[in-house]
Structure formats: C-alpha cells, structure tokens
Amino acid sequence: MTQQATPLGTDPLDADPFDDSRMGLLEHLAELRNRMIWIVGSLFFGIVASIAFVEPVIAFITSPVEEKLIAIGPTDTIFVFFKVMFVMGVIVAMPVLVYQIVAFIAPGLYPHEKRGLFLLLPGVMVLFFGGAAFANFVMLPVAVGFLQNFLGDVIDQEWTVDRYVGFYTRIVFWIGVAFETPLVIAFLARIGLVSGPRLLGMWRQAIVIISVVAAMITPTIDPINMTIVMLPLISLYFLGVGLAYLLYKPRAPRSFDEMDWGNDEE
C-alpha cells in the first residue's frame, strides 16, 4: 500500500522550534509580551544581584584617575550609585536580553539563517566583553592619563564623579559594540548579503569609516589614542572579511508563496 505523503511542516521532526512566522497580530503581541516579561525580570534580577558590588566597582573604574573625584550636587553620589547599579544589572542580564531579542526577530528569517544567528550568540557575548576589557585595561588608562596632563600646568583639573562615570560607561559600551563587527559580517555573509571579495575590495572605504568611528569614540584629540582604537577595529574588519570568505552563501531569490516553512533548503 502506498503511504500518503505527510504535509510539509506537519512532521514534528521537520518542525522548526523558532518558526512562528505565520502567527497573527494578536499572537505576535502575545509573543512580544512574553519576551518583555523575561527581559524585565532578568533586568530586575541583575540589578538586585549587583547592589552589593556597586561600591567596589565604582572604586575600580575610578582607579585610573590620579585625584579623588568630587561630587558637586547633594544627590550626585546617589545618582552615580544607581547608574552603576543599572549598568551592572544590564551586564548580568545581557545573555537573557540578547537571546530574547534574537528569538523575537528570528521568525522573520529562514531556518538555516536562524540556526546561524543562534550559533553566533555566544560569540556576541565574548566579543562584547572582550571589547569592554580592551577599553578598560588598554584604552582608558592612556586616555585618562592624557586628559589629566593636558594643560595641567595652567589648569587645575578636578573631575566630578557623575561626568567621569558617564564618560567611562559610554566609552566601554561603544568599544564593546564595535568589537561585534566580525560577527555581523559573518552573519550577513552567511545569508548572502555580503561576500569576502566585495568586502576586501572596499578596504579603503572601510578604513575611512573606521577612522571616523574611532574619532567619534575616542575621548581625546591626540593621534595615539585614535590609533589605539583604530588598530583593533581594522583587525576585526579583516577578520570579518576572512569569515565572509568562509561562510558566504549566495542568496537565491525565494517566493513566499512556495516557501518551505518546515525544512532547511541549503
């Protein structure tokens, strides 16, 4: 007896656990609500767990400054405490935050694109924290030393704690984001939007763009600090080019009417 073919996507073995692309508006809103609950819950947990470590962290991030920081307003120290506590809470909750955001947008991708995106998640965390460590241990000590000694013979510099903490968190965050460049390029190459030869041919334009980004991130005007930022960003770009050579897959035109929602067509 001839066995009747199973309709596409009805076999549990063929099902994609992240394929909710054909949900209605109400289902998407319910999905967004559930993701937001996880995000808010993880932030709350991260913030509460960080309370006991705020003071040591403030002492650590202000250690490169030669003089003790001052607070001008009566609420400045409270504001700094809560700001650092919130940033630490975000860092603790970041794995959950990134996963929930990616899981929400994943239904708009094809199965092999989803798998590639989820496989990149650990690398997102590693590169972000690697960039943050680079900013803290390599870039900021040089930048702070330069800024404290700039016109030091004629100007007595007394930095406020609120402005310094804002300066520190901004630099660390954007350097961490910039270190995600190889993963972004790798994902775009995997889904066929960019290729290694094309990116390699654009290396001059890339260096110009990196120079502009480094100038925006760098807190000083001296070429030394700008070079310290540029060199790893250029290296990360060419690392991304190498990954694009390995992972590039031409993106064939697809019809939504004939799409296979249950199987991964490589």
Side-chain angles (χ1 to χ4, degrees):
M1 179 169 32
T2 303
Q3 184 177 5
Q4 186 176 1
T6 303
L8 191 59
T10 59
D11 189 341
L13 296 177
D14 293 333
D16 182 0
F18 301 110
D19 188 7
D20 299 324
S21 302
R22 291 193 281 187
M23 292 190 302
L25 176 60
L26 294 179
E27 287 82 1
H28 278 295
L29 292 177
E31 174 79 2
L32 177 60
R33 180 198 61 191
N34 295 333
R35 300 293 178 192
M36 290 302 299
I37 291 173
W38 274 98
I39 288 174
V40 173
S42 62
L43 279 174
F44 178 78
F45 172 81
I47 290 173
V48 171
S50 302
I51 293 177
F53 305 97
V54 173
E55 188 172 346
V57 169
I58 293 177
F60 174 76
I61 66 178
T62 57
S63 59
V65 184
E66 296 177 0
E67 301 294 335
K68 193 173 182 179
L69 298 174
I70 63 173
I72 295 178
T75 61
D76 284 359
T77 52
I78 296 177
F79 173 77
V80 169
F81 182 92
F82 281 102
K83 183 173 185 177
V84 173
M85 182 177 65
F86 178 78
V87 172
M88 291 174 62
V90 172
I91 293 174
V92 172
M94 187 173 292
V96 178
L97 302 182
V98 174
Y99 175 82
Q100 294 299 326
I101 293 171
V102 171
F104 182 72
I105 66 174
L109 303 174
Y110 289 88
H112 76 278
E113 297 172 347
K114 297 173 191 177
R115 287 197 295 270
L117 185 58
F118 278 91
L119 287 174
L120 292 177
L121 285 181
V124 170
M125 306 305 304
V126 171
L127 286 179
F128 179 84
F129 287 116
F134 169 81
N136 185 78
F137 295 107
V138 178
M139 178 186 169
L140 280 171
V142 177
V144 169
F146 174 84
L147 291 172
Q148 284 197 307
N149 294 316
F150 188 72
L151 296 180
D153 296 334
V154 295
I155 297 177
D156 186 15
Q157 299 197 38
E158 293 184 357
W159 294 354
T160 61
V161 64
D162 56 334
R163 297 190 65 176
Y164 174 81
V165 169
F167 158 83
Y168 173 91
T169 53
R170 183 178 69 252
I171 297 301
V172 170
F173 174 78
W174 286 112
I175 293 294
V177 170
F179 268 58
E180 305 289 350
T181 302
L183 289 184
V184 174
I185 293 176
F187 178 71
L188 294 178
R190 185 71 181 100
I191 65 177
L193 294 182
V194 297
S195 64
R198 183 178 180 184
L199 290 172
L200 187 61
M202 298 173 60
W203 68 270
R204 295 179 180 85
Q205 297 92 322
I207 290 178
V208 172
I209 295 173
I210 290 173
S211 301
V212 174
V213 171
M216 295 173 63
I217 295 176
T218 306
T220 66
I221 58 174
D222 66 299
I224 296 177
N225 277 282
M226 187 172 174
T227 303
I228 290 175
V229 177
M230 281 186 62
L231 288 179
L233 294 185
I234 292 174
S235 301
L236 290 168
Y237 175 78
F238 282 105
L239 174 61
V241 172
L243 292 175
Y245 269 99
L246 295 174
L247 300 176
Y248 174 71
K249 178 181 179 182
R251 189 179 180 88
R254 295 163 179 167
S255 170
F256 282 91
D257 296 331
E258 301 177 355
M259 186 183 299
D260 180 353
W261 294 97
N263 293 297
D264 181 12
E265 293 185 359
E266 297 292 338

